[in-house]
Amino acid sequence: MGVAAKNKKKAQQPLKPMNEFVSELMGKMTVQEKIGQLNLLPSGDIQTGISENSSVSEAIRQGRLGAILNLKGVDNILKVQKMAVEESRLGIPLIFGMDVIHGYETIFPIPLAQACSWDIPAIEQSARIAAQEATADGLCWTYSPMVDISVDPRWGRVAEGAGEDPFLGSRIAEAMVRGYQGDLSRRDQIMACLKHYALYGGSEAGRDYNTVDMSRIRMYNQYFPPYKAAVEAGVGSVMSSFNTVDYVPATANRWLLTDMLRQQWKFDGFVVTDYGAINEMINHGLGDQQQVAALALKAGTDMDMCSEAFTATLEKSLEEGKVTMADIDQACRRILEAKYKLGLFADPYRYCDKSRRATDIYTAEHRQAARNLAAETFVLLKNDNVLPLKKQGTIALIGPLADTKNNIPGTWAPTATYQYPTLREGMQRALQGQATLLYAQGCNICRDSVLQADGSFYRTIPRGDDAQMRLQALETARQADVIVCAMGELQEMSGESSSRSNLELFDVQRELLDELLRLGKPLVLLNFAGRPTILSWEQQHVPAILNVWFAGSETGDAVCDVLFGDKSPSGKLTMSMPQNMGQIPVYYNHLNTGRPVEENTQKFAKFQSNYLDVRNEPLYPFGYGLSYTTFQYSDVTLSSDQMKIDGTITASVTIKNTGHYDADEVVQLYIRDVVGSISRPVKELKGFQRIHLNAGESRTVTFKITSDLLKFYDYHLNDVIEPGDFDIMIGPNSRDVKKKRVSVLAFSAGS
Ligand code: BGC
């Protein structure tokens, strides 16, 4: 009888304390079994599971597997867990992991969209719900949150992160860890995995898996904070990234995995590689499989995801003295500790309560939470009195994304069920016969020649003849009072391995839009995207643009909530949206340079840091997003214009809802360290509050400014606050701020 089964039998007796328990267990393990714990394999087929006599089953029985990824369904998981517990020598239970990134079967908006809500409690709740649903179906580990900062929208994986800002990214990282894990004491909580550590979002030219190279100062100040925040929030595991950091792949980078992560940040969970990352180090040019596996282990990697490099080589490396027993023991202990914390030794079937599927998944309550959050993520980019629409007359819904179930969930929803209503179905329901809804697809998603991928790539949308579809769409639109266009990219065009070098609307869609606009009717563009789109032409020609990202299972209803004015849009961009491709990367927290563009004029001048053919600012700045109402911001009031170095001041503004709609607003606080020992960004987000104001209502919003908010990593990578002047800025986005200056004084409160 295995260890877990024995423990279950004596369920009345509590387990020994973790250290003692794990030491005793390790005392019984062979070297092969210890190395087996470091091995993570895919299930083969996410839906059908693992057959009795596959190589994975063999590995389980021989105790040569520690965890499995991508096995869906409590029945499948229960069967495989039984195999581990009842058929392997020591009966050590497996960990079951999956990419539960933005929901399990109730799908929330993609992470980039969620970030645009700036609604931390709602984001935390989305993770809690995802944990509840995933554990109700047998899982206990998710590869989320992904907290990679990125300023390059060509990189498709920006869809999975929070955008370009380290402060907001950190708050979201903490919230997600809290939401997933809680304290891991309950069976509806799940172990989180922070990824991709580190700097994956810095890949050159936005090409996935590409080289990353950046200064330590930028790492510390801009890219590390969300990872650190998640570690401090107690994340249970960390995934190393595919890329190099300082020319050493993250998976073999001891400075990253041990010095920073464990020694500086005090991480005490385990490190898993990204998929096949150990073997990829052969391509990175670091040696053969034995060599790279040893490097990975020595650097601080504990679990090998899908390279099978540890199981293939570590015994040999041990014999040859390339790794030590202590190296293997350390990694094995960390994984067994995670199993202990997950309660798997106390009860290996803790997450296998079959009755929960019926009560805990895709519930009305979860769907309502997803719908609410989705509506908060939409960013109104432009509105020339078109929105909200009235439920009357005839509405033409046109575009390749208007009636597709396949593009509803968004990238990274492997557990989605694809039963969710389309936008067209949502609109039909919302209108309840009060208006006539007409529909035409209008065009293909793009021309065949646009993508390198073959036709199967866009199999998810019916393909037809563009010219014919356009004629039909124009015919349909002529009969309508207002046109709603559902356009953009497919969900698979963002996310992993989905870099793009042109982020404008595809030609066929733009051409159709152009013709529809010529009908002279009110028109709104709903832009579906997993990244910032370049919308300069649309900004010039289209009267209303609502960016809806990929909003998850409740897209159809949530879009209608905003489209028809039950809710005012309140999302604010967390990545700048460029004017054109050549501007990339364009982000708000840049340095001033020695030759900045005159702030007020933004005009081109020779020998300034600018382009001949486009202004420096993005089309829509970080933090930007309109509402159906208008908000008026007062000047900033500071509690004092001096602050002691260890002191606190407050900064306040009064905001008035001067329009006719009740609405939410995200009030944003930025600072600028005017003079520093190193050059400092022109603005840095340091606070935000999401408030609700009824039409006509005013509220004073106050931010506490502590010295912690003014700190940064200096040239020597010390975390410092330097006395001197700071600009305190508050506004509705990073561009339109009101400003006051405060002097931080060198002496402390006590002096
Ligand atoms: C991705 C990770 C993911 C892993 C497991 C990799 O290709 O980079 O984000 O968690 O696969 O599915």
Side-chain angles (χ1 to χ4, degrees):
M1 185 184 289
V3 61
K6 272 190 202 147
N7 290 324
K8 184 151 195 227
K9 270 209 140 179
K10 352 176 230 180
Q12 308 84 328
Q13 301 165 25
L15 290 185
K16 289 191 173 154
M18 185 168 75
N19 268 343
E20 208 180 318
F21 178 89
V22 170
S23 299
E24 259 181 33
L25 177 55
M26 284 178 62
K28 296 180 201 145
M29 293 169 79
T30 63
V31 176
Q32 291 90 329
E33 283 166 338
K34 286 178 180 172
I35 294 171
Q37 287 302 307
L38 321 189
N39 191 23
L40 166 63
L41 287 180
S43 65
D45 187 310
I46 184 170
Q47 300 288 353
T48 57
I50 297 164
S51 74
E52 290 286 326
N53 41 20
S54 66
S55 57
V56 179
S57 304
E58 242 353 79
I60 294 171
R61 292 194 183 99
Q62 291 169 2
R64 289 174 72 81
L65 195 62
I68 288 198
L69 86 147
N70 287 352
L71 183 59
K72 185 170 189 238
V74 64
D75 292 332
N76 289 329
I77 289 177
L78 182 60
K79 192 173 111 198
V80 176
Q81 188 69 299
K82 273 198 164 153
M83 202 185 284
V85 171
E86 292 173 10
E87 296 179 43
S88 73
R89 189 177 76 90
L90 291 170
I92 300 174
L94 296 162
I95 300 178
F96 291 88
M98 177 86 82
D99 289 285
V100 181
I101 308 292
H102 50 110
Y104 187 71
E105 286 188 15
T106 305
I107 306 294
F108 286 82
I110 56 167
L112 180 61
Q114 289 195 34
C116 293
S117 75
W118 303 57
D119 188 340
I120 301 298
I123 293 172
E124 181 171 338
Q125 186 193 27
S126 81
R128 192 177 311 120
I129 289 173
Q132 186 185 342
E133 294 198 1
T135 53
D137 212 12
L139 295 167
C140 56
W141 188 25
T142 178
Y143 307 119
S144 174
M146 185 279 214
V147 305
D148 304 325
I149 296 292
S150 183
V151 293
D152 197 329
R154 289 172 296 185
W155 192 51
R157 301 202 81 166
V158 298
E160 303 171 41
E164 73 192 37
D165 185 68
F167 182 86
L168 178 64
S170 300
R171 303 294 78 78
I172 291 176
E174 297 157 354
M176 293 194 72
V177 172
R178 285 195 302 267
Y180 287 132
Q181 295 192 167
D183 61 1
L184 280 184
S185 67
R186 298 198 333 231
R187 64 186 190 144
D188 61 358
Q189 295 167 332
I190 196 166
M191 183 168 62
C193 184
L194 172 71
K195 72 190 192 186
H196 305 85
Y197 183 69
L199 317 183
Y200 187 24
S203 62
E204 281 177 5
R207 207 182 72 220
D208 209 0
Y209 319 121
N210 201 6
T211 307
V212 174
D213 189 16
M214 72 173 70
S215 71
R216 289 270 163 111
I217 293 184
R218 177 169 277 197
M219 279 183 211
Y220 274 61
N221 285 308
Q222 246 161 290
Y223 283 69
F224 277 171
Y227 304 117
K228 184 165 181 270
V231 169
E232 285 170 359
V235 73
S237 63
V238 168
M239 187 185 293
S240 64
S241 57
F242 289 125
N243 54 282
T244 51
V245 172
D246 294 334
Y247 287 74
V248 179
T251 302
N253 192 318
R254 190 174 164 83
W255 172 75
L256 202 63
L257 300 184
T258 299
D259 300 358
M260 285 310 296
L261 186 63
R262 295 198 182 271
Q263 284 158 16
Q264 303 248 358
W265 299 349
K266 313 286 176 227
F267 173 64
D268 67 355
F270 72 90
V271 172
V272 60
T273 72
D274 203 342
Y275 204 110
I278 297 184
N279 286 349
E280 286 182 18
M281 290 199 281
I282 304 170
N283 285 340
H284 276 292
L286 265 81
D288 61 14
Q289 195 188 42
Q290 184 185 356
Q291 164 84 354
V292 294
L295 284 173
L297 185 73
K298 287 250 165 234
T301 296
D302 303 307
M303 189 181 268
D304 168 2
M305 186 196 285
C306 305
S307 283
E308 295 186 74
F310 280 174
T311 44
T313 66
L314 283 188
E315 266 180 82
K316 183 158 183 260
S317 291
L318 184 64
E319 279 160 25
E320 294 172 2
K322 292 186 173 133
V323 301
T324 63
M325 200 56 230
D327 295 329
I328 295 172
D329 276 348
Q330 176 177 268
C332 177
R333 173 174 289 278
R334 287 173 184 153
I335 289 155
L336 294 175
E337 283 177 358
K339 294 185 176 185
Y340 185 98
K341 289 179 197 160
L342 282 166
L344 290 170
F345 287 118
D347 177 5
Y349 308 115
R350 190 172 189 224
Y351 305 93
C352 293
D353 175 350
K354 291 187 184 188
S355 69
R356 286 184 57 204
R357 256 212 70 90
T359 53
D360 287 26
I361 296 182
Y362 199 48
T363 64
E365 191 195 331
H366 294 178
R367 294 183 59 193
Q368 188 59 48
R371 177 172 174 172
N372 292 347
L373 180 52
E376 290 183 355
T377 67
F378 303 148
V379 183
L380 183 62
L381 297 172
K382 181 180 175 188
N383 188 16
D384 278 353
N385 294 320
V386 175
L387 291 174
L389 300 183
K390 296 203 173 65
K391 292 182 181 172
Q392 65 184 36
T394 302
I395 301 172
L397 174 63
I398 290 174
L401 292 164
D403 198 24
T404 162
K405 285 198 190 299
N406 293 321
N407 285 282
I408 290 294
T411 186
W412 261 147
T415 49
T417 58
Y418 287 87
Q419 297 306 307
Y420 318 117
T422 68
L423 174 60
R424 183 186 182 188
E425 288 162 354
M427 278 176 81
Q428 200 75 61
R429 184 157 59 202
L431 291 172
Q432 291 177 335
Q434 296 169 65
T436 307
L437 184 67
L438 307 176
Y439 162 75
Q441 182 178 326
C443 61
N444 291 309
I445 198 81
C446 61
R447 295 205 164 90
D448 288 340
S449 53
V450 173
L451 298 178
Q452 293 199 62
D454 63 16
S456 62
F457 187 78
Y458 26 61
R459 68 194 178 285
T460 54
I461 304 271
R463 286 187 76 71
D465 178 73
D466 276 315
Q468 256 179 26
M469 285 195 281
R470 191 182 306 176
L471 281 178
Q472 265 167 19
L474 288 167
E475 192 42 46
T476 307
R478 275 193 200 97
Q479 301 165 47
D481 305 306
V482 52
I483 305 168
V484 177
C485 289
M487 296 183 168
E489 57 181 4
L490 296 177
Q491 61 178 19
E492 291 306 323
M493 289 174 173
S494 62
E496 187 174 354
S497 189
S498 299
S499 297
R500 288 181 55 197
S501 70
N502 181 351
L503 304 180
E504 299 188 13
L505 267 198
F506 291 112
D507 284 351
V508 269
Q509 299 189 33
R510 168 88 57 79
E511 288 158 16
L512 172 63
L513 197 54
D514 193 16
E515 297 226 19
L516 290 168
L517 285 165
R518 285 169 207 273
L519 299 177
K521 305 195 177 200
L523 184 149
V524 48
L525 169 64
L526 301 176
N527 186 47
F528 288 79
R531 52 153 67 83
T533 314
I534 291 177
L535 294 169
S536 293
W537 184 90
E538 290 73 13
Q539 167 66 22
Q540 222 182 330
H541 298 99
V542 180
I545 311 172
L546 185 69
N547 211 68
V548 294
W549 313 107
F550 290 102
S553 52
E554 311 313 307
T555 299
D557 290 334
V559 168
C560 291
D561 290 340
V562 172
L563 205 55
F564 297 111
D566 296 329
K567 289 178 182 166
S568 172
S570 55
K572 305 266 192 170
L573 295 176
T574 62
M575 275 191 92
S576 310
M577 287 179 91
Q579 297 192 54
N580 67 18
M581 292 303 297
Q583 278 191 318
I584 295 172
V586 58
Y587 51 94
Y588 87 96
N589 49 359
H590 56 83
L591 301 187
N592 202 33
T593 81
R595 296 188 176 198
V597 173
E598 183 89 39
E599 202 183 324
N600 298 326
T601 67
Q602 282 285 328
K603 276 212 183 100
F604 172 83
K606 202 73 182 154
F607 309 115
Q608 274 187 168
S609 178
N610 48 201
Y611 301 96
L612 283 170
D613 54 357
V614 66
R615 287 166 37 162
N616 281 0
E617 72 270 21
L619 183 63
Y620 308 111
F622 177 86
Y624 174 87
L626 302 171
S627 164
Y628 292 157
T629 195
T630 43
F631 295 105
Q632 200 178 62
Y633 279 64
S634 72
D635 284 339
V636 177
T637 316
L638 298 181
S639 58
S640 166
D641 56 9
Q642 294 193 327
M643 179 176 144
K644 290 171 181 162
I645 201 157
D646 54 0
T648 304
I649 60 160
T650 59
S652 309
V653 283
T654 301
I655 296 139
K656 182 164 191 205
N657 180 341
T658 46
H660 303 293
Y661 291 88
D662 303 345
D664 286 4
E665 167 71 333
V666 180
V667 186
Q668 301 159 38
L669 166 78
Y670 297 86
I671 62 127
R672 177 176 185 178
D673 186 350
V674 182
V675 176
S677 57
I678 59 170
S679 194
R680 305 279 294 119
V682 295
K683 265 173 204 152
E684 292 175 282
L685 182 78
K686 291 293 172 181
F688 55 90
Q689 289 182 34
R690 207 187 146 90
I691 59 167
H692 181 82
L693 288 179
N694 291 334
E697 195 185 349
S698 302
R699 174 132 10 116
T700 299
V701 168
T702 299
F703 293 97
K704 196 163 140 188
I705 297 171
T706 60
S707 48
D708 260 358
L709 288 184
L710 309 181
K711 281 182 162 176
F712 67 98
Y713 290 94
D714 68 5
Y715 193 77
H716 306 286
L717 304 173
N718 293 320
D719 194 13
V720 296
I721 168 170
E722 294 180 342
D725 286 347
F726 286 79
D727 285 337
I728 307 294
M729 297 164 270
I730 302 181
N733 60 60
S734 63
R735 184 189 57 201
D736 306 314
V737 291
K738 306 262 180 143
K739 181 155 75 177
K740 276 278 161 65
R741 186 161 283 191
V742 59
S743 294
V744 173
L745 308 174
F747 53 84
S748 78
S751 52

